[in-house]
Amino acid sequence: MRTKLLFLLSLLLWVGLCCAQEDDGASLQLYGDIGSYHALRTSSPYNWMTSRNRFRLAGRYHFGDIRFFGALKVNHHGFIKQYTGIFPHEFYMDYTTTHFGFRAGKQIVIRGVADGLRLNDIVAPMDMTEFLTQEYDDIRMAVNAVRLFYFSEFVTVEAMLVPTFQGYKLPLEPNNPWSVVPKAQLPVTVEQGNEPDFLLKNMEYGGHLSFNLPGIDFSLSGLYTWNKLPCFRGELASDFRSIILTPQYDRMTVLGADFSKPLDAFVVRGEFAYSFDKLYSAALITKPTVKKDLVQGLLGIDWYGPNSWNISAQGLYEYIPNYQKAEIATEEHTIYATLRLSKKLINDLLTLSSFGYFDIKNKAVFNRFSGSYQVLDGLLVNVGYDLFHGDKGMLGTYKNNSEVWVEAVYKF
């Protein structure tokens, strides 16, 4: 019922946007894209991994200090029916003056300076129905939030309240090659729901303080939130013929900081996060979930070279204090690295790129190689290859999912 109500309110806002008449000092802008994406597995059984089509429409309406924004997607998925339909994406209102601002509605909240890795950027949950093979703009999910801002020349102060819980969207379908349901000797089913109720005590809130100083940008943040990626506890069904997994959620506090420093053609970035009482699945799935602190640190460097070259590298280290191997199903130390390469050719009509995740301890890799060519103004054709390699860790889970893909997108 709550979902239908939110959709109705979103639809009414969208109709208001589209029917708005331009007036003195007012403006309406509509834009969007139409896309078709298809991927084929490059190892046995050489089947189609996905086939989806999308129509996305967004609009902005400005009137003085007030701005309305709305966006929705119409999806068609060739294999999984529940991924087909009309999905409201973002619908919110902005009010901005010289020193104060206000934003309320369904919106995407972005934190930190990491590229493709999440430390403090945990307000917006993720759509993992196709792991990380979707565009990052599609992976991020909007949340219902109220945000208050204070602006000065060098400082921005933000206070945020998220009244409703929004968790990760996970692939649980058995016919989805990206399914996170573990394989076992007995059939495994995952219960739906068990999410925090819409209560005052369950609301999420936080603050963000950012400084834009000559030569360096940095910020501090605090968030009292939930683990939006559920941990699971399992139990045998009453007939002992299957295993039932129940998603578990609990409160945690995250304190963080980040900085960005330009140095000629380079930009040095760093981010730190300390999570108190983060929830983990137990080492034995039938045992209760476990709460542990988590320390995360990231350092990255970007190079914007001549002739449209761009290289970006990051290193992420994670550590769980008071770790006991027999307690939780996660390693004490985790080391990730990323490497992004891109080069534009043919008067910037062709872009070649590579972006890879490297799980150092587990010797696992996910790398997306792609080429994008602008055929006509607004029309892009993209082709690529997603490489998965390794036997352990999260990336190793998808070692048989390497794929080639092709996509056509028209933006208007």
Side-chain angles (χ1 to χ4, degrees):
M1 181 66 184
R2 189 177 68 187
T3 301
K4 292 181 179 179
L5 179 60
L6 288 173
F7 176 75
L8 179 60
L9 293 174
S10 300
L11 186 61
L12 290 174
L13 175 57
W14 180 252
V15 171
L17 279 170
C18 293
C19 295
Q21 299 293 321
E22 293 196 13
D23 198 356
D24 294 338
S27 64
L28 173 65
Q29 178 188 12
L30 297 176
Y31 58 95
D33 61 67
I34 302 172
S36 184
Y37 177 94
H38 311 274
L40 180 69
R41 195 193 304 259
T42 57
S43 60
S44 181
Y46 302 100
N47 60 321
W48 289 104
M49 297 287 285
T50 189
S51 178
R52 47 182 161 83
N53 302 289
R54 180 192 69 202
F55 171 70
R56 180 166 52 189
L57 182 64
R60 287 188 175 92
Y61 179 66
H62 293 259
F63 183 79
D65 296 329
I66 300 175
R67 182 184 72 166
F68 293 95
F69 176 81
L72 58 80
K73 295 187 294 184
V74 181
N75 289 343
H76 175 266
H77 198 286
F79 307 127
I80 305 176
K81 291 184 179 180
Q82 53 264 45
Y83 296 169
T84 296
I86 301 174
F87 301 96
H89 190 47
E90 287 187 273
F91 291 89
Y92 59 80
M93 183 195 76
D94 270 332
Y95 175 76
T96 306
T97 63
T98 303
H99 293 293
F100 296 95
F102 171 85
R103 175 176 292 184
K106 194 174 183 65
Q107 57 192 279
I108 292 177
V109 181
I110 300 175
R111 292 281 187 264
V113 296
D115 181 14
L117 296 170
R118 295 166 69 86
L119 289 81
N120 297 295
D121 189 23
I122 57 174
V123 179
M126 299 180 72
D127 179 352
M128 299 296 288
T129 52
E130 293 183 17
F131 191 52
L132 297 173
T133 62
Q134 300 183 82
E135 296 179 18
Y136 218 74
D137 288 343
D138 290 327
I139 292 177
R140 292 183 188 274
M141 297 173 62
V143 296
N144 297 304
V146 178
R147 302 163 70 188
L148 303 175
F149 302 91
Y150 169 77
F151 309 104
S152 68
E153 184 178 1
F154 299 115
V155 181
T156 299
V157 181
E158 176 188 344
M160 178 183 65
L161 174 68
V162 181
T164 59
F165 177 84
Q166 175 67 59
Y168 273 52
K169 185 177 180 180
L170 298 177
L172 304 176
E173 308 80 15
N175 61 330
N176 190 331
W178 308 101
S179 177
V180 297
V181 179
K183 293 179 173 58
Q185 293 180 345
L186 295 176
V188 178
T189 59
V190 180
E191 287 190 341
Q192 301 293 323
N194 202 35
E195 298 179 349
D197 294 326
F198 178 38
L199 299 172
L200 182 63
K201 66 178 183 179
N202 289 338
M203 293 185 181
E204 175 182 0
Y205 50 87
H208 189 250
L209 184 64
S210 60
F211 299 85
N212 302 108
L213 305 177
I216 189 171
D217 298 334
F218 66 94
S219 69
L220 304 172
S221 62
L223 184 66
Y224 187 52
T225 182
W226 296 83
N227 60 300
K228 297 178 181 179
L229 176 62
C231 296
F232 291 96
R233 183 178 182 184
E235 62 179 355
L236 283 173
S238 58
D239 59 5
F240 301 102
R241 295 183 179 180
S242 65
I243 299 174
I244 300 174
L245 295 181
T246 304
Q248 305 290 315
Y249 302 94
D250 211 330
R251 285 292 207 174
M252 67 177 185
T253 301
V254 181
L255 301 179
D258 63 69
F259 75 91
S260 178
K261 169 70 176 177
L263 296 170
D264 295 327
F266 296 88
V267 175
V268 179
R269 297 176 286 110
E271 191 167 346
F272 171 82
Y274 193 102
S275 302
F276 298 87
D277 295 329
K278 180 177 173 61
L279 198 66
Y280 291 93
S281 297
L284 183 61
I285 195 65
T286 55
K287 295 290 186 181
T289 51
V290 180
K291 303 188 78 170
K292 294 282 186 180
D293 291 354
L294 174 66
V295 183
Q296 298 171 288
L298 175 139
L299 187 64
I301 186 167
D302 308 318
W303 176 61
Y304 300 91
N307 302 316
S308 300
W309 273 102
N310 175 231
I311 300 177
S312 175
Q314 297 178 135
L316 169 65
Y317 173 70
E318 297 183 340
Y319 168 65
I320 301 175
N322 301 316
Y323 179 86
Q324 295 182 25
K325 186 175 182 179
E327 276 191 323
I328 63 176
T330 305
E331 296 179 340
E332 180 180 12
H333 304 275
T334 303
I335 303 174
Y336 267 91
T338 70
L339 179 64
R340 182 187 297 275
L341 306 171
S342 69
K343 166 67 175 171
K344 293 187 176 182
L345 303 165
I346 315 178
N347 296 322
D348 292 345
L349 295 177
L350 174 65
T351 302
L352 301 178
S353 64
S354 168
F355 184 66
Y357 292 86
F358 305 91
D359 184 344
I360 305 301
K361 288 198 67 179
N362 292 313
K363 300 179 181 178
V365 175
F366 164 50
N367 201 105
R368 165 162 278 206
F369 305 94
S370 64
S372 176
Y373 186 72
Q374 183 177 322
V375 180
L376 300 170
D377 187 21
L379 177 60
L380 294 174
V381 174
N382 308 316
V383 295
Y385 174 59
D386 294 339
L387 170 67
F388 287 89
H389 175 76
D391 296 315
K392 296 168 35 177
M394 179 179 62
L395 301 180
T397 303
Y398 303 116
K399 64 181 180 181
N400 297 318
N401 283 13
S402 293
E403 60 182 7
V404 292
W405 54 268
V406 60
E407 179 184 35
V409 179
Y410 177 69
K411 299 182 179 181
F412 57 88

